[in-house]
Amino acid sequence: MTNNKIIVPLDVPDLQSAIVLVEKLDEVSFWKVGLELFTASGPQVLEYLKCKEKKIFLDLKFHDIPNTVAGACRSAARYGVDLLTIHAAAGKDALKAAKEAATEEANKLSLQPPRLIAISLLTSISSRQLAFDLKIPLELPEYVLQMALMAKEVGLNGSVCSPQEAFQLREVCGDDFLLVCPGVRPTWADKDDQKRTFTPAQAIKAGANYLVIGRPITASTEPILAWEKICAELITTT
Ligand SMILES: O=C(O)c1cc(=O)[nH]c(=O)n1[C@@H]1O[C@H](COP(=O)(O)O)[C@@H](O)[C@H]1O
């Protein structure tokens, strides 16, 4: 069963484990490479996924000064990945510099520029943590909206948000703004460290373009079955 709206993260410790998962879940067309695997394998995993004709979300969550994130985005653009992340909290100048650098480098190499999306607020953060740990004096939905609007203003392609904020962001930011939602949990799955969750069907109904779903599939004893169950739920409920 296929579903091109689900991105599965390769949150595994090495290239060999990634290969095992990709071979097992043959139906998955969009994979995410994050900090754990990229730190271990470097670009080798990207080459492997390209050979398999998979789409790639390179989730390195850049968060640094403008000059540094620009350099990182220039390097990432050379891999010809589909999606790339930066933290909105790096600020407007950093987002702008990142976008310009990624686009310029990809154009120079005649590659499609990666769609650069800003993390609004990690889905592992609750309203309480936002207020008491991060000391942000805004309601959580308002903070997420402001981060997304800042990303949109400087020309980023979209935002990573929890599905709980997707409806509001879709209304305000418009149909062209990409909404990528982790924090997605079927009713039968554990929430793990995710704080702001919706089910896959709720997330799609709220306006998400892509759902990032990891452990409910990858940590399952039957990953193929879990994948198929989620795909079937989406077909029957959306
Ligand atoms: O950028 C992300 O993909 C991301 C942002 C965010 O706010 N929350 C979040 O969980 N993620 C990623 O989405 C994936 C979620 O995995 P599971 O919680 O296993 O479904 C992980 O790879 C996280 O790194």
Side-chain angles (χ1 to χ4, degrees):
M1 203 174 279
T2 60
N3 187 305
N4 55 15
K5 284 179 182 282
I6 304 176
I7 302 175
V8 181
L10 281 166
D11 289 332
V12 292
D14 51 49
L15 180 60
Q16 198 45 46
S17 314
I19 292 174
V20 168
L21 205 51
V22 174
E23 302 288 329
K24 191 178 289 176
L25 288 164
D26 190 39
E27 305 275 315
V28 178
S29 58
F30 209 153
W31 289 95
K32 181 168 88 78
V33 173
L35 294 168
E36 182 182 6
L37 180 57
F38 196 78
T39 302
S41 80
Q44 250 185 305
V45 64
L46 306 180
E47 286 156 26
Y48 163 74
L49 289 169
K50 286 207 156 266
C51 283
K52 302 286 288 181
E53 298 183 346
K54 303 293 185 186
K55 289 175 81 177
I56 303 171
F57 173 7
L58 183 57
D59 176 32
L60 299 181
K61 294 190 176 66
F62 297 135
H63 192 172
D64 214 314
I65 61 171
N67 184 59
T68 305
V69 290
C73 285
R74 208 172 289 119
S75 297
R78 292 181 202 130
Y79 297 132
V81 295
D82 299 281
L83 286 176
L84 185 64
T85 43
I86 180 167
H87 276 283
K92 209 185 263 188
D93 290 346
L95 297 184
K96 199 162 180 282
K99 176 69 182 167
E100 283 169 7
T103 307
E104 200 180 280
E105 187 69 9
N107 289 341
K108 205 161 86 185
L109 300 170
S110 304
L111 291 169
Q112 185 71 26
R115 286 180 290 174
L116 186 62
I117 54 177
I119 315 278
S120 52
L121 179 70
L122 291 171
T123 54
S124 55
I125 303 285
S126 65
S127 295
R128 196 182 159 74
Q129 288 168 322
L130 184 73
F132 292 99
D133 298 345
L134 305 185
K135 315 286 183 205
I136 305 280
L138 288 179
E139 293 295 328
L140 189 149
E142 182 60 22
Y143 178 74
V144 168
L145 178 63
Q146 291 307 323
M147 293 302 103
L149 283 172
M150 177 170 66
K152 184 175 160 72
E153 189 189 327
V154 295
L156 264 67
N157 301 88
S159 187
V160 178
C161 62
S162 108
Q164 294 185 5
E165 296 97 45
F167 185 77
Q168 185 194 13
L169 261 56
R170 177 61 66 222
E171 291 267 288
V172 179
C173 300
D175 285 344
D176 294 340
F177 197 66
L178 205 61
L179 296 179
V180 176
C181 296
V184 177
R185 287 293 184 268
T187 49
W188 43 266
D190 208 306
K191 289 201 169 35
D192 306 300
D193 49 0
Q194 298 289 358
K195 297 278 167 49
R196 308 193 319 277
T197 64
F198 264 181
T199 66
Q202 287 173 324
I204 292 290
K205 277 195 188 127
N209 296 99
Y210 291 108
L211 314 180
V212 180
I213 310 179
R215 285 164 289 181
I217 300 168
T218 55
S220 162
T221 47
E222 305 260 23
I224 302 172
L225 224 61
W227 162 262
E228 287 184 344
K229 206 166 152 186
I230 292 170
C231 292
E233 278 177 26
L234 279 174
I235 289 171
T236 52
T237 55
T238 53

